[in-house]
């Protein structure tokens, strides 16, 4: 009696959205391994803490990304490597801006720094030290606060490709962290696609980003967040932010997490 050949087992997509009440080492390793699309941690910050930070921000002067390159304008507190990279290193203005921004952020939460709270929770989950990434032996800034209401174009973030040699220790994986300090009534979702940069993509660059048609048909992780939620994903995948709809603002505390070849994690923006 003949039998038909067995069908091969289905290959899992490995790009789901995970939701949990507390961050764990497993979440970080799954993101680093590429076996999950995103992780959302509910109430990473208490809503009351978010309201306190937002109230304190009213007295802070916000800068923005380079408005020649990044449109629509994205307001932010704190420097990013993107704006200060040249000749294979970070310009001196980066360090001056970092010091001013760290001082401004240092009292936003009950006289303390919300970045310290976030880093401590990541360290607890990882079970090892979390420290700033370094460049030429100097601690880099981590923990920008930014407001993205008009959306952000599709792009990727990969420090070893975009800013070769800036980090003293190149990470083997990169994870994005965004804790939502203010959320709109609708819109503002981050969307990550299971698609990374390829050399031919440069032919379809759109300003600082890329044409969305590059990811047509690719699996997508749509990241919706409530107040105080933290969202983690791999920013080496193409990703974007949808424009805010209706009332409210989209404000996040954001930084990158580098998984290195040794135990500690490193952080930068």
């Amino acid at each position: 009696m003949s039998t038909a050949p067995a069908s091969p087992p289905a290959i899992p997509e490995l790009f789901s959205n995970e939701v949990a009440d507390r961050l764990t080492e497993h979440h970080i390793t799954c993101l680093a391994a590429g076996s999950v699309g995103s992780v959302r941690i509910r109430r990473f910050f208490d809503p009351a803490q978010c309201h306190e930070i937002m109230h304190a921000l009213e007295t802070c002067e916000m800068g923005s990304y380079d408005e020649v390159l990044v449109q629509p304008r994205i307001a932010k507190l704190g420097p990013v490597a993107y704006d200060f990279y040249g000749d294979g290193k970070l310009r001196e203005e980066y360090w001056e801006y970092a010091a001013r921004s760290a001082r401004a952020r240092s009292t936003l939460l009950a006289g303390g720094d919300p970045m310290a709270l976030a880093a401590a929770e990541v360290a607890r989950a990882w079970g090892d030290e979390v420290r700033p990434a370094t460049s030429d032996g100097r601690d880099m800034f981590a923990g920008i606060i930014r407001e993205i209401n008009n959306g952000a174009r599709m792009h990727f973030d990969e420090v070893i490709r975009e800013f070769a040699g800036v980090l003293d220790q190149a990470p083997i994986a990169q994870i994005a962290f965004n804790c939502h300090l203010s959320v709109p009534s609708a819109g503002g979702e981050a969307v990550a696609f299971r698609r990374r940069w390829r050399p031919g993509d440069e032919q379809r660059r759109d300003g600082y980003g890329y044409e969305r048609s590059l990811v047509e048909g690719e699996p997508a992780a749509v990241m919706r967040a409530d107040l105080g939620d933290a969202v983690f994903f791999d920013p080496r995948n193409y990703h974007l932010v949808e424009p805010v709809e209706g009332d409210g603002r989209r404000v996040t505390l954001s930084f990158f997490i580098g998984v290195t070849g040794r135990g500690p994690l490193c952080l930068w923006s």
Side-chain angles (χ1 to χ4, degrees):
M1 180 177 179
S2 63
T3 59
S7 298
I11 299 175
E13 206 169 76
L14 300 180
F15 211 69
S16 62
N17 292 312
E18 302 289 334
V19 181
D21 291 323
R22 202 167 195 200
L23 183 67
T24 67
E25 178 189 6
H26 180 69
H27 293 134
I28 297 172
T29 55
C30 284
L31 286 163
S35 59
V36 65
S38 71
V39 173
R40 175 165 66 95
I41 304 300
R42 290 181 289 239
R43 295 174 69 97
F44 190 89
F45 279 10
D46 185 274
Q49 294 173 318
C50 296
H51 291 312
E52 182 171 353
I53 295 168
M54 290 299 297
H55 178 72
L57 275 175
E58 292 179 7
T59 61
C60 286
E61 181 179 352
M62 301 282 278
S64 68
Y65 287 89
D66 184 341
E67 294 184 48
V68 174
L69 298 173
V70 180
Q71 287 291 337
R73 182 179 187 270
I74 297 176
K76 65 180 178 67
L77 171 64
V80 293
Y82 182 91
D83 284 343
F84 293 90
Y85 179 73
D87 298 324
K89 62 181 181 179
L90 296 172
R91 301 192 302 272
E92 190 60 32
E93 306 98 281
Y94 169 88
W95 306 103
E96 298 166 1
Y97 189 6
R100 293 197 307 271
S101 301
R103 287 194 298 270
R105 197 192 56 204
S106 65
T107 60
L108 294 180
L109 181 59
D113 193 338
M115 179 61 195
L117 179 64
E121 182 60 17
V122 172
R124 180 209 58 76
W126 186 240
D128 203 336
E129 187 179 1
V130 168
R131 60 181 66 159
T134 61
S135 183
D136 287 336
R138 303 166 78 175
D139 287 354
M140 295 178 67
F141 180 88
I144 64 171
I145 295 177
R146 58 186 178 179
E147 182 167 357
I148 304 178
N149 294 325
N150 298 309
R153 295 177 184 174
M154 191 179 79
H155 64 286
F156 71 93
D157 298 288
E158 187 173 10
V159 68
I160 62 171
R161 186 181 302 280
E162 298 177 281
F163 310 118
V166 163
L167 269 63
D168 292 338
Q169 183 178 5
I172 59 175
Q174 183 173 338
I175 297 168
F177 167 98
N178 290 280
C179 185
H180 292 255
L181 306 175
S182 176
V183 294
S185 57
E189 300 91 351
V191 185
F193 302 91
R194 198 185 63 183
R195 166 75 151 79
R196 292 194 181 178
W197 179 87
R198 301 168 190 164
D201 294 352
E202 291 305 298
Q203 304 302 315
R204 296 163 76 179
R205 181 181 277 275
D206 177 19
Y208 73 87
Y210 296 81
E211 295 176 11
R212 193 162 177 170
S213 58
L214 279 174
V215 297
E216 185 175 352
E218 296 287 350
V222 180
M223 294 166 270
R224 297 180 175 89
D226 294 326
L227 186 63
D229 290 356
V231 174
F232 299 76
F233 66 95
D234 188 336
R236 296 172 298 179
N237 292 317
Y238 278 119
H239 57 280
L240 55 85
V241 177
E242 300 285 12
V244 165
E245 300 173 9
D247 298 328
R249 302 159 62 190
R250 185 189 189 277
V251 181
T252 62
L253 171 69
S254 304
F255 54 84
F256 294 120
I257 301 170
V259 181
T260 67
R262 293 191 284 270
L265 300 175
C266 61
L267 311 178
W268 75 96
S269 291

